[in-house]
């Protein structure tokens, strides 16, 4: 059932495009406490110096709030934000046009920054360092460089793959933050806020049940509350409680750990078909009918972070929780202390 796989995809879907759910103030941003506390210090210091904030690199799986955070930083600093993404900046001229149009202090947000081409990256280096770039002008046989200046700005880059960022680019960011998956309590808080905005009646047990099955990801939590509301409406229930939430999510094949059919297929392959032996990423992707990139960016992070799978030099292996989840006895090496 494709629908179920899509419900748990942490990548944005058209139905997630509900801007009213995005926190409007940094005080509404739930969780990521350490990052928020440090950001407050860096923003206050920049304000006191009358300078834009240093360039920021945000890393973490899709749906954890990187775009939201960039928007909140701009709002807090009282500046505009220009949002773009790595794949849409194909040529050096594209980034130059963007940089030229920046107003002083503005935030330039580049999503999927790891997908910038090397040529585009090379244009960015001097701009990130000293707000200048050279253009080469050739007239006949003569060649000359012209230096251009851009307004002071803050580049906020977001990536689902911090390992894919080239080291020259990474070293030009002054602030590096790695976003973590959210706790059940934090997600329950986000679900209750969303329920309030959408006029959905839910009790504490209901929000915690949805939170437990949301893979630590606010985007998924916000999507699931809407689907559970559909079940509540059809059943004529006025309020969502734990029982109704569990029923609705089971109906969508989302189990008590937040795993769906595709996740369980991955675990089943690793445990039962490959008998705990390492499996290459592309073999595994082909076996579940997904792109390798999608498997790596969307499915794996939560499974890895929660001990369902392990990444080794020889490939992916089932982790201890995979055996537990499938009620299969683990191989002897898992039982040794
Ligand atoms: P990313 O850019 O990391 O893919 P987004 O910033 O687009 O993630 O977040 C997805 C959705 O989840 C947002 O629309 C927002 O409603 C919600 N969200 C994300 N992080 C938080 C948070 N910390 N508190 C409340 N809601 C959040």
């Amino acid at each position: 059932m494709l629908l179920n796989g899509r419900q748990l995809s942490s990548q944005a879907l058209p139905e997630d495009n509900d801007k009213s759910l995005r926190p409007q103030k940094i005080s509404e941003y739930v969780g990521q406490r350490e990052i928020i506390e440090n950001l407050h210090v860096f923003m206050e210091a920049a304000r006191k110096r009358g300078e834009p904030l240093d360039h920021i690199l945000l890393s973490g799986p899709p749906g954890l709030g990187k775009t939201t955070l960039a928007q909140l930083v701009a709002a807090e600093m009282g500046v505009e934000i220009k949002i773009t993404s790595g794949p849409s900046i194909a040529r050096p001229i594209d980034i130059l046009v963007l940089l030229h149009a920046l107003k002083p202090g503005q935030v330039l947000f580049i999503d999927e920054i790891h997908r910038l081409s090397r040529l585009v990256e090379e244009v960015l280096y001097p701009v990130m360092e000293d707000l200048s770039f050279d253009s080469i002008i050739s007239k006949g046989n003569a060649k000359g460089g012209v230096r251009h200046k851009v307004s002071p700005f803050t580049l906020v880059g977001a990536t689902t793959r911090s390992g894919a960022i080239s080291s020259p680019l990474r070293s030009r960011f002054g602030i590096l933050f790695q976003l973590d998956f959210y706790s059940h309590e934090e997600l329950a808080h986000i679900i209750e806020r969303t329920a309030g905005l959408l006029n959905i009646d839910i009790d504490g047990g209901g929000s915690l049940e949805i939170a437990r099955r949301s893979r630590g990801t606010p985007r998924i939590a916000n999507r699931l509350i809407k689907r559970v509301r559909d079940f509540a409406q059809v059943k004529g229930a006025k309020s969502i409680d734990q029982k109704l939430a569990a029923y609705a999510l089971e109906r969508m094949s989302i189990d008590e750990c937040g795993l769906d059919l595709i996740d369980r297929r991955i675990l089943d392959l690793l445990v039962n078909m490959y008998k705990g032996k390492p499996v290459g990423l592309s073999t595994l992707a082909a076996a579940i009918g997904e792109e390798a990139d999608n498997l790596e960016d969307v499915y794996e992070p939560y499974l890895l972070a929660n001990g369902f799978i392990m990444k080794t030099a020889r490939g992916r292996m089932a982790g201890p929780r995979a055996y537990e989840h499938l009620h299969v006895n683990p191989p002897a090496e898992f039982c040794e202390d």
Side-chain angles (χ1 to χ4, degrees):
M1 251 195 291
L2 192 62
L3 168 87
N4 302 318
R6 292 182 67 217
Q7 293 303 317
L8 282 188
S9 166
S10 49
Q11 278 177 328
L13 300 171
E15 66 255 35
D16 299 325
N17 202 8
D18 197 343
K19 295 200 176 68
S20 64
L21 300 183
R22 272 196 203 275
Q24 302 297 314
K25 287 184 283 188
I26 211 153
S27 55
E28 290 170 6
Y29 193 88
V30 177
Q32 311 292 347
R33 276 233 335 261
E34 215 172 293
I35 293 180
I36 299 294
E37 280 169 16
N38 287 335
L39 255 183
H40 275 301
V41 174
F42 301 148
M43 288 194 291
E44 194 183 328
R47 261 196 302 263
K48 282 192 172 151
R49 290 194 299 267
E51 289 172 5
L53 196 58
D54 211 341
H55 304 305
I56 305 174
L57 181 63
L58 302 174
S59 318
L64 292 197
K66 299 181 290 300
T67 312
T68 308
L69 198 53
Q71 289 176 327
L72 292 174
V73 164
E76 202 78 0
M77 296 297 286
V79 295
E80 286 177 35
I81 181 166
K82 168 82 192 155
I83 297 183
T84 182
S85 74
S88 59
I89 309 173
R91 301 159 304 167
I93 186 74
D94 300 328
I95 186 79
L96 291 178
V97 168
L98 275 173
L99 292 166
H100 246 310
L102 288 179
K103 299 188 190 110
Q106 204 171 344
V107 170
L108 174 63
F109 176 70
I110 306 184
D111 201 7
E112 296 187 76
I113 196 164
H114 59 277
R115 294 180 62 188
L116 286 179
S117 71
R118 195 47 60 93
L119 281 177
V120 172
E121 272 193 19
E122 277 166 13
V123 175
L124 264 181
Y125 299 155
V127 179
M128 288 174 77
E129 272 168 14
D130 64 7
L131 304 171
S132 68
F133 63 91
D134 293 326
S135 62
I136 308 292
I137 298 179
S138 44
K139 274 190 187 153
N141 287 336
K143 274 197 176 166
V146 177
R147 178 147 287 210
H148 301 268
K149 277 288 189 192
V150 302
S151 304
F153 73 109
T154 300
L155 174 65
V156 181
T159 180
T160 48
R161 299 198 178 187
S162 61
I165 303 267
S166 72
S167 47
L169 180 59
R170 177 192 303 273
S171 67
R172 284 164 173 94
F173 285 97
I175 303 171
L176 292 106
F177 288 136
Q178 170 76 47
L179 278 77
D180 281 332
F181 286 114
Y182 291 68
S183 69
H184 295 160
E185 288 68 29
E186 288 165 347
L187 287 175
H189 188 144
I190 293 173
I191 290 164
E192 279 157 27
R193 176 179 172 274
T194 300
L197 291 169
L198 299 177
N199 277 324
I200 302 172
D201 207 349
I202 186 164
D203 70 12
S207 57
L208 202 55
E209 189 61 41
I210 300 176
R212 271 197 217 108
R213 303 186 192 217
S214 297
R215 308 173 77 91
T217 307
R219 176 175 291 139
I220 296 177
N222 280 346
R223 194 183 298 149
L224 292 185
I225 170 83
K226 292 187 201 162
R227 295 292 70 80
V228 174
R229 169 182 61 179
D230 294 342
F231 279 91
Q233 241 156 15
V234 170
K235 277 186 148 272
K238 287 213 165 50
S239 173
I240 297 170
D241 58 10
Q242 185 275 332
K243 217 170 136 203
L244 180 65
Y247 165 80
L249 294 163
E250 289 297 336
R251 285 281 305 267
M252 289 189 277
S253 296
I254 298 167
D255 69 24
E256 68 284 1
C257 294
L259 306 191
D260 68 2
L261 295 172
I262 300 180
D263 298 304
R264 290 196 293 273
R265 172 111 181 92
I266 295 172
L267 302 190
D268 181 51
L269 282 164
L270 293 175
V271 168
N272 294 320
M273 191 167 151
Y274 291 97
K275 306 276 179 226
K277 298 208 170 62
V279 185
L281 177 71
S282 45
T283 309
L284 195 56
I288 59 162
E290 280 282 350
E291 298 282 327
D293 277 0
N294 217 22
L295 174 60
E296 212 171 4
D297 290 351
V298 178
Y299 291 97
E300 274 195 354
Y302 181 74
L303 298 176
L304 279 167
N306 288 281
F308 288 105
I309 63 172
M310 301 186 300
K311 221 171 177 171
T312 71
R314 289 176 299 142
R316 274 62 178 169
M317 286 172 73
R321 281 194 75 193
Y323 293 93
E324 214 177 279
H325 200 69
L326 299 182
H327 307 290
V328 170
N329 285 334
E333 55 264 34
F334 276 104
C335 306
E336 286 164 11
D337 256 337

